[in-house]
Amino acid sequence: MDGSEDDVHARKMKSLGHFTQGIVHDIRNSLHVVLSASAMIGRRTEDPLILHHLTSIEKTIERTNGLIGRILAFANQSEEHLGVVDVSDSIDESITLIRPMFPECIAIEWHRPAQPVYILGDHDQLYQVMLNLLRNAIEAIGCDNEGTILVNLNHACPWVEIRVKDTGPGIAPDVIENVFTPAFTTKADGNGFGLANVFAIVEQHGGTMQVVSSPGEGAEFIMLLPLVPDMNL
Ligand SMILES: Nc1ncnc2c1ncn2[C@@H]1O[C@H](COP(=O)(O)OP(=O)(O)OP(=O)(O)O)[C@@H](O)[C@H]1O
Ligand SMILES: [Mg+2]
C-alpha cells in the first residue's frame, strides 16, 4: 500500500469504527432491557422451568455481550496509541495476567531477554495479541491434556521475532488458510475474531504474522515487528 491507499484505508477503518460503535450501543441497550426484564420475572416466580429458561436467556446475553465486545475491538483498530514500549515487558506482563487462567497441566516456557527490546507499539493491543494466541493454544491443548506453550523472542535489527508455539493437535491445511479470516471458527462456542484481531493489530504495528503447523505437531504463530532504530543493542 502506498501513502494515499493507507489514508483511504485508515479513513474506512475509522468510519467502520464509528458505525459499529453506534450499532453496538443500541444492541447493548436492548440487551440490557431484556436482562432487566428477565431479572424481574426471576424475582416473581419459583417455577423451576421458567427459572431454567431465564438462566439460558442470561447466559446467551452474556455471550452476545462478549461477541459484540470483540467485534468492537476489531472495528476500532484505527484507535491505536503507539509509543515506545519494551515488547518483552508487554509479553511478560501479559503472561503474568493470563497465567491464572491456564489449567495446571499446561506449562508455559518463556525466557525474558536480559535487555529491553524497544518497538513502537500499543501496550494494550500487544496484550490483546498475547491473550488471543495463548487462549487459542490452551483451547487447542485442551483442559484434560498435558501440554506446553513456548513463547520465544529473538531480535536482530530491524525486526523482533515473537513465536508462540503449542503442543496441541496442530491445524489441518484446509483450516490453516482461513484462520485469520474474521468470523472463521471451528469451535462450537468460538466467535472467530481472535486471530483476525491479532492479524490487524500486527499489521498496524507495521509487522507481519504467519502460522506454521502440521496436523499432530502443534501450531506455531510467528510475528515480526519492526524495532525502533538506534534504541536496541
Ligand atoms: N493454536 C491453535 N491450534 C489449533 N488450531 C488453532 C489454533 N489457533 C487457532 N486455531 C484455529 O483457528 C480458528 C480461528 O481462531 P480464532 O482465535 O480467530 O477464533 P476462535 O478461537 O475459534 O474464536 P474466538 O473468537 O473465541 O477467539 C480456530 O477456530 C481454530 O480452528
Ligand atoms: Mg480464539
Side-chain angles (χ1 to χ4, degrees), residues 7-100:
D7 285 351
V8 174
H9 181 68
R11 276 204 303 277
K12 276 189 186 160
M13 286 303 286
K14 201 165 185 172
S15 57
L16 176 65
H18 288 147
F19 176 68
T20 312
Q21 252 167 354
I23 293 177
V24 162
H25 180 77
D26 288 352
I27 296 175
R28 282 202 165 135
N29 273 346
S30 308
L31 291 179
H32 186 72
V33 172
V34 178
L35 204 56
S36 306
S38 157
M40 195 265 285
I41 297 168
R43 284 195 295 274
R44 281 162 201 236
T45 183
E46 284 177 7
D47 183 324
L49 189 63
I50 295 179
L51 288 172
H52 170 78
H53 286 304
L54 290 177
T55 307
S56 307
I57 290 173
E58 281 159 23
K59 279 194 180 149
T60 308
I61 289 178
E62 215 172 278
R63 278 202 55 205
T64 310
N65 262 326
L67 171 62
I68 57 182
R70 279 157 188 266
I71 295 172
L72 196 58
F74 180 68
N76 267 346
Q77 270 142 30
S78 50
E79 294 185 14
E80 85 272 33
H81 305 283
L82 298 184
V84 174
V85 291
D86 173 3
V87 67
S88 60
D89 208 31
S90 302
I91 295 175
D92 209 61
E93 211 177 296
S94 306
I95 292 175
T96 308
L97 282 170
I98 299 161
R99 189 72 187 94

Side-chain angles (χ1 to χ4, degrees), residues 137 141 148-152 163-167 217-221:
I141 295 169
T148 306
I149 303 170
L150 296 113
V151 181
N152 246 303
R163 291 173 176 256
V164 179
K165 185 174 170 31
D166 65 66
T167 55
E217 292 186 11
E220 183 166 32
F221 288 83

Side-chain angles (χ1 to χ4, degrees), residues 104-156:
E104 294 212 335
C105 52
I106 300 181
I108 180 149
E109 281 184 26
W110 152 243
H111 304 289
R112 187 183 176 152
Q115 303 289 343
V117 180
Y118 293 116
I119 65 163
L120 209 52
D122 179 322
H123 190 71
D124 291 343
Q125 290 196 333
L126 293 168
Y127 170 71
Q128 284 301 323
V129 167
M130 291 307 292
L131 174 65
N132 279 301
L133 294 179
L134 294 176
R135 255 193 54 207
N136 280 344
I138 296 168
E139 287 166 0
I141 295 169
C143 286
D144 302 326
N145 302 310
E146 301 252 311
T148 306
I149 303 170
L150 296 113
V151 181
N152 246 303
L153 183 156
N154 289 299
H155 66 107

